[in-house]
Amino acid sequence: MRSFRIGSVFGIPIKLDLTFLLVLPLFAFLIQQQVGSVTDLLNQTMGANLPVDPLVAGWMPWVLGFAVAIGLFVGVVLHELGHSVVAMRYGFPIDSITLWIFGGIASLSEMPEDWKQEFQIAIAGPVVSLAIGGLSYGAFLAVPTSLPSIRFVLGYLALMNVALAVFNMLPGFPMDGGRVLRALLARTRPYAKATQMAAEVGKVFALLLGLFGLLNFQWLLIGIAFFIYIGASSEAQQVVMKAAFEGVTVRDVMTPGPDLHTVTPDTSVSELMSRMFSERHTGYPVMEGGDLVGLVTLEDARGVKAVERDAYTVDEIMTRELHTITPNADAMEALQTMQSQSVGRLLVVRGDDLVGLISRSDLMTAFDVVQETGSVEPGRRTPVRET
């Protein structure tokens, strides 16, 4: 998501995704269209005795719409802060809280594997939403009937925050309810197995939610269902890979130095492309006098027109900003680094020396081996000697 920072709370950066700038006026528009029907609902459920005519006159529906929309997203931030404060209490740093089209996301740098910790972190958000709903209702009762617009906003926020808490507790992993389910399953099962089970429940929930949204032309629900399905699949895969790579280091998976294919800065792009075709490699460390000076990839070479490849050298197109990792690092750390840096390979270094290269395909091959044999031993690399 492309986002920008608007502030921080408890040291946690608060960000707005660009999609939020679209959804806020959309929510305001939807709410202003429903002012009359919501007023009737508040009168029936809360005994609000709100007059309809002043609330639907002129620009008042738009004022109410934006006030409620902003209030809802403030509630979402507080909901995510509930998760974040409990997570920080257990020592899990929070990278940021981001508001986007489907609400809010608190980005934990690491997920807890202790079921009690995950349960408390997951339940904290809905508890905060319920508390906001209760406070909004209390304020609704305290505001005099001569201020119907304020009472409308508070009554609406009371209902919506309770609804938000209830919706989030549905078993749609990775929603809060799905995480609570995983925590309960993890009481008696391995964490990876509990994640797979919760993810399967989440996928079924997402399909049902998407079908309901499709039948009722609720495009937002369809979007949420898609997000849940993708999120469940992605996190389940991450957890399974983390379990599979337990105890596996970069040196076990990497292509070691003696087997590396390298190029020099004065290699022509034409020769580079020929080697990529014949050797079936798409990335080469660039070495000069025994020193690592860069990395050149197929993507770099494609930026040169075919007729000019004899005239250009690797030195002119290579990447000098290198992403590296040590041979003793965990294989899972390598994968996470590739994902966070949006790169397909990492140079493995010990001090200033290049000792290997690890790519996504290396990791995927190792993962397949672990899945089939339960160990990377059949393909374990010769250890890199430490000096």
Side-chain angles (χ1 to χ4, degrees):
M1 297 181 293
R2 303 187 67 178
S3 58
F4 54 92
R5 179 171 174 169
I6 60 170
S8 65
V9 181
F10 301 133
I12 304 170
I14 308 297
K15 299 180 179 180
L16 289 184
D17 181 74
L18 293 179
T19 57
F20 176 81
L21 301 179
L22 299 176
V23 77
L24 183 63
L26 174 62
F27 269 44
F29 171 75
L30 295 175
I31 292 166
Q32 68 87 22
Q33 285 192 317
Q34 301 171 355
V35 169
S37 59
V38 172
T39 300
D40 292 337
L41 177 63
L42 294 176
N43 289 337
Q44 294 171 12
T45 58
M46 296 185 181
N49 197 27
L50 294 172
V52 176
D53 291 342
L55 297 178
V56 298
W59 287 95
M60 182 57 71
W62 279 103
V63 174
L64 296 176
F66 273 102
V68 171
I70 293 171
L72 285 175
F73 280 101
V74 169
V76 169
V77 172
L78 295 175
H79 176 109
E80 298 301 331
L81 278 173
H83 294 306
S84 302
V85 169
V86 177
M88 290 190 298
R89 174 189 165 197
Y90 286 118
F92 297 99
I94 307 299
D95 294 332
S96 64
I97 292 175
T98 303
L99 291 175
W100 69 313
I101 189 170
F102 295 133
I105 297 178
S107 300
L108 279 72
S109 57
E110 181 182 355
M111 294 301 299
E113 294 190 15
D114 181 290
W115 76 267
K116 292 181 181 178
Q117 293 179 354
E118 177 163 43
F119 179 86
Q120 292 182 44
I121 293 171
I123 202 74
V127 168
V128 169
S129 292
L130 286 175
I132 296 171
L135 290 173
S136 298
Y137 181 66
F140 165 82
L141 295 176
V143 172
T145 56
S146 59
L147 300 172
S149 58
I150 296 177
R151 297 185 79 230
F152 173 90
V153 172
L154 292 170
Y156 201 135
L157 291 177
L159 285 179
M160 291 304 295
N161 277 284
V162 171
L164 176 66
V166 172
F167 180 76
N168 270 278
M169 284 305 296
L170 295 174
F173 185 82
M175 289 169 51
D176 298 339
R179 296 195 181 279
V180 168
L181 174 62
R182 177 171 68 177
L184 296 176
L185 290 171
R187 294 178 62 187
T188 56
R189 297 170 179 82
Y191 183 73
K193 181 63 176 177
T195 300
Q196 287 180 304
M197 295 175 68
E200 290 304 315
V201 173
K203 290 177 185 178
V204 172
F205 173 79
L207 290 173
L208 293 175
L209 181 65
L211 181 61
F212 178 82
L214 185 62
L215 294 176
N216 291 274
F217 301 102
Q218 296 288 332
W219 305 114
L220 185 60
L221 290 182
I222 296 174
I224 293 173
F226 179 77
F227 169 71
I228 292 172
Y229 191 94
I230 297 299
S233 301
S234 176
E235 185 159 341
Q237 184 184 44
Q238 288 280 342
V239 170
V240 170
M241 292 187 73
K242 185 176 181 180
F245 283 140
E246 185 174 0
V248 179
T249 64
V250 168
R251 66 153 53 92
D252 299 324
V253 180
M254 71 182 189
T255 300
D259 298 333
L260 271 181
H261 294 263
T262 64
V263 295
T264 59
D266 59 358
T267 302
S268 71
V269 176
S270 176
E271 181 183 345
L272 173 69
M273 294 291 282
S274 296
R275 287 189 58 182
M276 285 181 172
F277 179 78
S278 61
E279 296 171 359
R280 291 174 176 79
H281 287 292
T282 57
Y284 289 82
V286 184
M287 306 295 293
E288 184 175 25
D291 295 327
L292 175 65
V293 295
L295 178 73
V296 65
T297 67
L298 177 60
E299 185 177 352
D300 297 325
R302 280 176 173 166
V304 180
K305 296 179 181 179
V307 295
E308 299 176 340
R309 287 172 183 167
D310 284 322
Y312 279 81
T313 64
V314 165
D315 183 63
E316 296 173 283
I317 65 168
M318 70 182 184
T319 300
R320 290 177 170 81
E321 184 180 347
L322 305 178
H323 300 284
T324 63
I325 197 165
T326 63
N328 289 329
D330 293 333
M332 195 64 195
E333 180 186 342
L335 179 60
Q336 291 169 342
T337 301
M338 290 181 200
Q339 291 174 335
S340 64
Q341 300 296 327
S342 299
V343 295
R345 57 192 57 79
L346 298 174
L347 297 163
V348 186
V349 298
R350 187 179 65 242
D352 294 328
D353 298 327
L354 177 68
V355 296
L357 183 143
I358 185 169
S359 67
R360 287 178 187 266
S361 60
D362 291 331
L363 288 165
M364 292 304 102
T365 300
F367 177 68
D368 290 339
V369 171
V370 173
Q371 290 287 86
E372 289 294 326
T373 67
S375 170
V376 292
E377 288 294 341
R380 190 178 290 274
R381 302 288 188 184
T382 302
V384 176
R385 295 176 58 190
E386 301 293 344
T387 57

